[in-house]
Amino acid sequence: MKLSWSDVTPEALVLNRRGLLAGMAAVAATPAFARGDAPTAYEDITGYNNYVELGMGKSAPAENAHRRTMSPWSVEIGGLVERPVTLTLDEIAPAAAREERIYRFRCVEAWSMVVPWEGVPLAGVLDRAGVKPEARFVAFETVYRPDELPGQRRKTLDWPYREALRLDEARHPLTFLATGLYRKPLPAQSGGPIRLVVPWKYGFKSIKSIVRITLTDRQPETTWNALQPDEYGFYANVNPKVDHPRWSQRTERRIGAGLLAGRDETRLFNGYDEVAPLYAGMDLARDY
């Protein structure tokens, strides 16, 4: 039985090198509403990006990607952990452990794409360091290299870029560390060589080019939320009922769909309903 990209839905955690038949079973079991979300073309995914460190325009990251040094690379894991550790990319995501996951990606700017990532679940990487019981949040920090990243030479943001998740969000099975895209190494403009992917949140939460992960008992400050809290919430869960102050979030534009394509309706949690229990009892508008 042959599995093609168009057969796979973003919810399915399906394509690992050890089990295509198991993957097909997972595809068959996924909700019908997810069908038809074929992956966006590689050229569109890698040519239309927000990565202000590499430039403000959507094409600037790809144009400036050659400035980046991608190897060697390592990620420090510390804070409230039993075993602080620094891991190389091969230690974080050895070839035999990598999975392929096709996820919908929704930008806070109301555009979207469907991306076939390759990498490993974040939870397993955190376990390598041994999370202490008092830990409640996971903070992430990106690389700081103004000599390579022209955007960091300007005071656009408080560099280096920082993001964070609640620990239960970080440990959710959907939360992913990506090191590849379309079965190729993750390119610089897409956040290579390693980035976070949290498919039910707006894209700015999925921090790029990670160099540090810190476990903490207090909610960390995050870059966009600190700069403009009325526009960029700490949780930033995709929610069609919570508009950005300058535009509606009820619909989205799929990158690569063409100028004549209509807009799609935005789905709560980007359609990943299995994360809803994480927010039971919370006001999804107030706690945006």
Side-chain angles (χ1 to χ4, degrees):
M1 185 178 295
K2 184 177 180 181
L3 180 67
S4 69
W5 288 116
S6 61
D7 294 323
V8 184
T9 66
E11 283 82 357
L13 312 183
V14 294
L15 292 177
N16 67 51
R17 294 186 174 92
R18 298 183 294 275
L20 288 179
L21 291 180
M24 288 300 296
V27 171
T30 53
F33 74 80
R35 293 304 181 97
D37 277 336
T40 303
Y42 181 85
E43 292 75 15
D44 290 323
I45 293 171
T46 58
Y48 194 96
N49 305 101
N50 281 332
Y51 195 175
V52 294
E53 288 94 326
L54 283 172
M56 296 299 293
K58 296 296 186 288
S59 62
E63 293 167 356
N64 291 320
H66 66 280
R67 300 173 181 266
R68 291 281 315 280
T69 299
M70 305 278 281
S71 179
W73 198 273
S74 60
V75 179
E76 299 177 17
I77 305 177
L80 295 176
V81 297
E82 302 289 348
R83 299 174 296 278
V85 64
T86 298
L87 301 173
T88 66
L89 285 183
D90 285 340
E91 290 171 327
I92 292 172
R98 294 175 202 154
E99 305 173 14
E100 283 182 308
R101 299 192 180 184
I102 302 178
Y103 282 160
R104 284 186 296 273
F105 180 92
R106 175 60 158 78
C107 181
V108 73
E109 295 176 347
W111 54 265
S112 65
M113 53 178 63
V114 180
V115 185
W117 305 104
E118 184 177 76
V120 295
L122 174 60
V125 177
L126 297 179
D127 288 341
R128 298 275 295 277
V131 179
K132 289 186 175 180
E134 58 267 35
R136 294 291 180 270
F137 294 88
V138 184
F140 304 86
E141 187 175 306
T142 194
V143 67
Y144 181 66
R145 295 178 183 168
D147 55 329
E148 297 181 9
L149 298 164
Q152 290 182 338
R153 300 172 203 159
R154 299 187 292 270
K155 298 298 183 181
T156 311
L157 296 175
D158 181 19
W159 309 112
Y161 191 89
R162 301 176 305 279
E163 259 305 335
L165 299 172
R166 228 169 47 193
L167 181 58
D168 56 348
E169 296 176 316
R171 298 191 67 88
H172 193 278
L174 289 176
T175 307
F176 202 61
L177 288 175
T179 58
L181 169 63
Y182 261 114
R183 302 183 183 178
K184 301 177 182 180
L186 189 64
Q189 65 266 35
S190 299
I194 184 169
R195 65 171 292 166
L196 182 69
V197 182
V198 193
W200 68 92
K201 294 180 179 288
Y202 290 117
F204 70 88
K205 294 293 293 185
S206 293
I207 186 171
K208 304 175 179 73
S209 303
I210 298 169
V211 295
R212 186 169 294 107
I213 299 174
T214 305
L215 281 294
T216 177
D217 59 352
R218 298 181 181 181
Q219 181 173 309
E221 184 176 88
T222 60
T223 297
W224 278 112
N225 180 239
L227 180 68
Q228 294 176 291
D230 61 325
E231 297 191 12
Y232 305 100
F234 175 82
Y235 285 97
N237 291 321
V238 176
N239 190 341
K241 295 182 179 180
V242 179
D243 290 334
H244 186 279
R246 288 178 281 137
W247 55 78
S248 170
Q249 295 288 22
R250 294 185 180 277
T251 64
E252 61 195 58
R253 175 176 61 93
R254 180 65 53 82
I255 297 304
L259 295 177
L260 299 180
R263 297 177 68 91
D264 297 326
E265 291 188 1
T266 299
R267 290 174 269 189
L268 180 62
F269 302 126
N270 208 17
Y272 295 95
D273 299 330
E274 59 265 52
V275 305
L278 295 175
Y279 310 104
M282 292 176 59
D283 184 334
L284 296 180
R286 185 192 66 191
D287 294 319
Y288 164 75

